[in-house]
Amino acid sequence: MTDRYCVFGHPVGHSRSPRIHKAFAEQFGAEIAYEAIEAPLDGFAGAWRDFVNHGGKGGNVTVPFKEDAYRLADVLSPRARRAGAVNTLVLGKQGDTYGDTTDGIGLVRDLQAHAAPLEGARILVLGAGGAVRGVLEPLLAARPAVLMIANRTADKARQLADDFADLGETTGGGFDEIVGTFDLVVNGTSASLGGELPPLPDDLFADAALAYDMMYGAEPTVFLRWAAEHGARTVDGLGMLIEQAAESYFLWRNRRPETGPVRELLRSEI
């Protein structure tokens, strides 16, 4: 029987995960079935159980269900527990559900692929929602000099910085509290979806700084266009999507795909 996997979301028709995992499976000559499932907003747990009852082995989870997946999992990885969110579900041999998050490691691997400054760097992360919470632990594990979280709601950024302060030097505040230059600026806000730019100072970037947007598209986001105009190197989030997917594939099948060819394939298709 062909192993079944899926991605849950709402909406989810735009997801490139089926394309990515098909390409991963082809590297190993494996036959898998991977589909996109639009779960009801109030019915994620039921959608997972139905998928498992029909032979499902594992699933990816995208917005708005990552916290639902966290609550559903019988066993959580340490990084998922820290993030408070799950983007990968694995069906155990005894029928239990294991929850993990691969977003953070996906981001860091993509940053490393682009020679991003990490160790000893000044890092600014924009936003304080679930997308940001899921990447802070691996970013801090790279031992930056300081990591600042800036958000429209300053108190939310300060609370998030406090939550992760045991892992490294963290600060939090509003966009108007950003002071100094940064080696790496990661946009984890949803502003790019609406073509908006957070209110950022013009002198944000240090020499050879990298600007990274978790969003991606056929054209650079408004944040990346602005960053390029202000002297930064720019990278979008397509590589993060592929790297987190590769980690999910490894969790399901204990084989780690090559991500380079899949990057080239998807970049040619968007």
Side-chain angles (χ1 to χ4, degrees), residues 58 61 134 140 161 172 174 190 196 214 231 237 259:
V61 184
L140 287 165
S190 59
E196 300 175 358
M214 291 188 190
T259 55

Side-chain angles (χ1 to χ4, degrees), residues 118-235:
L118 292 172
E119 185 174 359
R122 286 175 51 82
I123 298 177
L124 173 65
V125 180
L126 307 176
V132 167
R133 188 177 187 92
V135 304
L136 291 179
E137 182 178 16
L139 279 176
L140 287 165
R143 300 174 62 193
V146 65
L147 186 151
M148 179 181 182
I149 303 163
N151 190 54
R152 198 174 300 275
T153 304
D155 286 346
K156 191 173 182 181
R158 281 191 276 269
Q159 181 60 60
L160 194 53
D162 288 345
D163 289 346
F164 285 83
D166 61 308
L167 300 182
E169 182 68 27
T170 61
T171 64
F175 293 125
D176 59 347
E177 297 176 63
I178 299 172
V179 177
T181 60
F182 292 85
D183 305 297
L184 171 64
V185 180
V186 178
N187 182 23
T189 73
S190 59
S192 292
L193 293 175
E196 300 175 358
L197 180 71
L200 301 171
D202 289 337
D203 57 350
L204 186 62
F205 299 106
D207 292 340
L210 178 71
Y212 190 99
D213 200 323
M214 291 188 190
M215 303 297 175
Y216 70 91
E219 301 295 332
T221 66
V222 64
F223 168 72
L224 292 183
R225 292 198 301 272
W226 177 86
E229 290 170 359
H230 289 79
R233 294 189 296 131
T234 61
V235 177

